[in-house]
Amino acid sequence: MKKDIDTLKKRSRRRRDVVEQAGSASLALSGLVGMFFLVVLVWQIAIPTFIDGENGEISAASEFIPISDYVLEWDHPNVNEQGDLKTEPIVLTITWEGQTGAQTHDLEIVVTANRGEKEDVQISEEGLSTTSIEVGKKTKFYLKSVLDVPVSVEQRSGPVPAADASGNPHVSSFVVSGDVAVLISNGSAVFEPLEMAGWTSLLVLTFIVSRPTERRLAPLVRCYGRERQIRGIILLLAIFTIVIGQTTLSAFLGGLCWLLFGVALLRTIEGMERLQNQGRSLTEVKRLKHSISDREGLLLWSRMLLVSACFFIPLDIDIPFLTERYQDIFQPYASGIRSAFFGTVWVMSIAMLVSMPISIGAAIYLEEYAAPTRTTKLIQALVTNLAGVPSIVFGMFGLAIFVKQGGIGLGLGPSILAAGLTMGVMAMPIIVLASQEALRSVPRSLRESAYGVGCTQWQVVKDHVLPSAMPGIMTGSILAMSRIMGEAAPLVVVGAAALVLFDPEPLAALTGGNLNFTVIPIQIYFWTSEPEHAWHSMAAAASIALILLLIAMNSIAIVLRQHFRKRLNS
Amino acid sequence: MSEKIGGEHVPDSTRALDVDGDIDLMVDDLDLWYADKQALFGVSLPIAKNAVTALIGPSGCGKSTLLRTINRMNDLIPICRYEGTITKGDVEITAKDADLVEIRKNIGMVFQRPNPFPKSIYENVGYGVRLHYQPSREELDEIIEKSLKRAAIWSEVADRLHDLGTSLSGGQQQRLCIARTIAIEPDIILMDEPCSALDPIATAAIEELILELKKDFTVVIVTHSMSQAARVSDYTGFMYLGRMVEFSKTDKIFSDPAEELTKRYITGRFG
Ligand SMILES: Nc1ncnc2c1ncn2[C@@H]1O[C@H](COP(=O)(O)OP(=O)(O)OP(=O)(O)O)[C@@H](O)[C@H]1O
Ligand SMILES: [Mg+2]
């Protein structure tokens, strides 16, 4: 018998099989990675405890802190659009006690508007590697000293950072930081608005698409037939945002906002046109929802992008305490938590990026794929117990496997990367357990109905089980994230520093930059242990910042959770 | 041939399996175990094309088990193991290397409890189609409308296609599940007590639907209601304790059953 449905184009079975294989393979892989960490962790605890002759391997990591790098940064470009000097160039006088007597050298710095441009200066017995450099605004550059004597830096001329009334850069730190001039002065002000505009457009469109009414849609009617122009303009805007913003994270997110805005706009217009071609009114909201292809997915991505961009784009605007000022060891009230703030952001981002996919994959593998053998049960028991292991133990583990070189150590040093990975491993058992619980509570009838229409196992997991389990998985991730964000102990072991006076570099361990970093809990810890009362107030302020940051980062997971929850039972 | 179990003579599974016309699917000598407990004993069953075959029997006799073996749903239960063959045309369904996706696509199933996906009504019906085909939007709209119409639920949901399938009433959900099943046009539809959660009106609607579906599909239905079996089916198999005690035309079974056991069951003098 010839069926009507067979006139349709068939889906490729080969592709389905390939996807199936790839899907289960990636799950198995994440299971393996998780298991690897587990085995190493257990082994790591066992070796120093039970095996003799293994001593001195684990020691605090603070010995890595280099003493000879000085980081400087200015905010104001002192060239105008034509490239002429607007003010006198900045001149630093660098002096030190050399072997052949006192050395004095001048370094001339021209701060340009190109964020990101930089040149480092080497200080050696022969003097400076160069006497004049160009550095982008808000870009830090290094004075790298190979001497083993202290080097002092003094600013002789040029625009003076507002923070220091005496006209000198901070004696203690050699960090010279500008003020909040970016948004209001100089030609650079136009660039951030481009990011903000992309963000706002996406926000407005997301709102319209989630709650369409005829009035809100009316402006879009005018776009009919201009799809090609819209596509072009938005592509240009996206490219401009990224290029002009010097490909920083926020510029990149701004560009993404534009792109998603474009896709959503075109789909919406297409849906509206289809609706009107059928001779229906735009007010039939439900039909419009259905008319926009992949509306659910678009909304999900927009919301996630909006929330994460809402978090990064404003970082261009300096909030003095949070993102402008470093710690000033002499003036508590002039201190900020800039480096700790960025340290926490980076550590958490790396931790979640690493742990979420691996843990969710491992949970799916354990719950859906692995046969209930004795090995599986053993692993299950280990994971359950791991969730309760004190955090300091994870710190030791991180020290051995990520920080130290040699043996199983990756030798990343006391860096952000090592800290992020350590925290990620700490989050894993919590996420795995919560995800397993969520997967287990997906009713069997749902799986049966999916298999009943001819799903493969991977399709059942991807299309049905995972979306149903998503709220639970996200709850687990939020819990894990909250737990690790407040942790100081493991990072003390891994080697977070007490005083960091520059922005941390997330990938320093790979690119060979400055490894030092700190995070907010550690900053709080050190401030509370200061005798002066003013520091305690600053610690309190930092705690509030930590909580706000936690809420901001969690909101991405919360958006995801609400999205799936609403889909399941509205 | 019979075995005495609990004071009852239980005959072996019957071999008298005559049907008129074409046979769509053949179950041959099927033994099935859940762990060590045997649930089916040498069951054979022919399923006639474009006809309704009903399975009746007391609770726990293995009707659902048999049905779930036909589309290999029992493979999802790790402790389940079986011997025997099921063939559909020249495809051996019970073969080790059988393509389960193809089997389940060609043999659809409607479950005892309605279990729509927690997606929109539109998605519920469209999902299976998109799983196997790449329809254009217009084609998909058309298939969805046609399936919902055939499942006699179109008029109730036409203006709420984007509501969740789970927000419908029980009877509507069951018809939605039927629509979901027929959207991919299987050859055979297996229904496991599709009306057990429904009121008499919804039941009547589904019975009518089954008679309608018979024109294009082959239907196998498990039911506890003798009158329902009598009303909708062409063939009836009576199962007892994992045996297919009797199989024949529905008129014959209800008017003149060959086995004493069958007679007692359908007249309600049982146990
Ligand atoms: N998943 C399972 N694991 C173990 N035993 C099972 C399982 N499913 C069914 N059985 C057993 O197999 C036998 C047949 O069960 P089945 O569900 O096929 O009965 P049924 O005829 O459909 O009954 P009902 O009319 O109550 O639905 C029963 O004795 C039951 O206990
Ligand atoms: Mg049953």
Side-chain angles (χ1 to χ4, degrees), chain B residues 64 112 192-193:
Chain B
S64 300
Q112 182 164 355
D192 192 351
E193 298 181 43

Side-chain angles (χ1 to χ4, degrees), chain A residues 267-452:
Chain A
R267 295 258 184 94
T268 313
I269 296 172
E270 182 195 299
M272 286 164 64
E273 271 184 313
R274 189 180 306 129
L275 207 66
Q276 294 205 322
N277 287 345
Q278 292 169 2
R280 297 191 194 274
S281 139
L282 285 181
T283 38
E284 290 179 63
V285 171
K286 283 223 175 87
R287 282 186 197 280
L288 178 70
K289 284 182 178 175
H290 144 216
S291 249
I292 301 172
S293 23
D294 194 26
R295 172 174 169 277
E296 288 294 316
L298 275 181
L299 280 180
L300 175 64
W301 284 112
S302 320
R303 289 190 187 134
M304 280 180 43
L305 186 60
L306 282 173
V307 171
S308 43
C310 150
F311 183 53
F312 279 105
I313 288 180
L315 292 190
D316 270 0
I317 308 161
D318 289 331
I319 305 163
F321 176 69
L322 214 55
T323 57
E324 186 200 339
R325 293 197 208 128
Y326 296 97
Q327 180 175 357
D328 182 329
I329 55 168
F330 296 115
Q331 294 169 285
Y333 290 123
S335 288
I337 52 168
R338 180 175 169 126
S339 55
F341 175 80
F342 283 108
T344 298
V345 169
W346 283 119
V347 169
M348 294 302 298
S349 308
I350 293 173
M352 288 330 267
L353 273 183
V354 170
S355 66
M356 276 182 55
I358 293 182
S359 325
I360 297 175
I364 296 175
Y365 188 78
L366 276 177
E367 204 53 38
E368 305 282 325
Y369 283 78
T373 57
R374 207 165 292 167
T375 331
T376 328
K377 281 183 192 147
L378 181 71
I379 292 174
Q380 185 69 56
L382 281 176
V383 172
T384 314
N385 286 313
L386 267 188
V389 166
S391 55
I392 190 91
V393 177
F394 282 99
M396 302 288 279
F397 162 76
L399 185 61
I401 182 172
F402 298 126
V403 179
K404 295 272 178 183
Q405 181 96 52
I408 43 160
L410 290 179
L412 297 175
S415 60
I416 291 235
L417 201 56
L421 290 173
T422 307
M423 291 308 221
V425 172
M426 200 172 119
M428 275 181 201
I430 307 177
I431 305 181
V432 170
L433 283 185
S435 308
Q436 275 189 299
E437 199 54 53
L439 290 169
R440 220 171 292 149
S441 65
V442 173
R444 209 174 107 158
S445 63
L446 180 62
R447 292 164 210 262
E448 286 189 339
S449 55
Y451 280 115

Side-chain angles (χ1 to χ4, degrees), chain A residues 16 132 208 344 353 387 412 438 471 488 533:
Chain A
R16 185 194 80 200
S132 165
I208 294 179
T344 298
L353 273 183
L412 297 175
H533 186 70

Side-chain angles (χ1 to χ4, degrees), chain A residues 3-6 8-9 11 13 16 274 286 290 445 448-449 451-455 463-464 567, chain B residues 68 73 99 101 104 115 117 127 130 132-134 137 143 146 162-164 180 183 185 187:
Chain A
K3 297 186 203 167
D4 291 349
I5 197 154
D6 285 330
L8 298 180
K9 189 160 168 252
R11 278 207 192 275
R13 231 192 273 174
R16 185 194 80 200
R274 189 180 306 129
K286 283 223 175 87
H290 144 216
S445 63
E448 286 189 339
S449 55
Y451 280 115
V453 292
C455 284
D463 292 346
H464 302 280
R567 257 201 2 196
Chain B
R68 292 165 53 89
M73 216 46 138
D99 181 351
V101 168
R104 289 174 187 151
N115 54 356
F117 300 129
Y127 179 77
R130 273 211 294 244
H132 305 289
Y133 303 94
Q134 296 176 293
R137 213 184 159 80
I143 291 173
K146 195 172 94 187
H162 296 279
D163 287 5
L164 280 181
R180 173 177 77 191
E185 300 192 28
D187 302 324

Side-chain angles (χ1 to χ4, degrees), chain B residues 34 37 39 58-66 77 79 112 193 224:
Chain B
Y34 287 113
K37 184 172 164 293
S59 185
C61 68
K63 306 178 296 289
S64 300
T65 303
L66 174 59
I77 300 171
I79 55 166
Q112 182 164 355
E193 298 181 43
H224 275 288

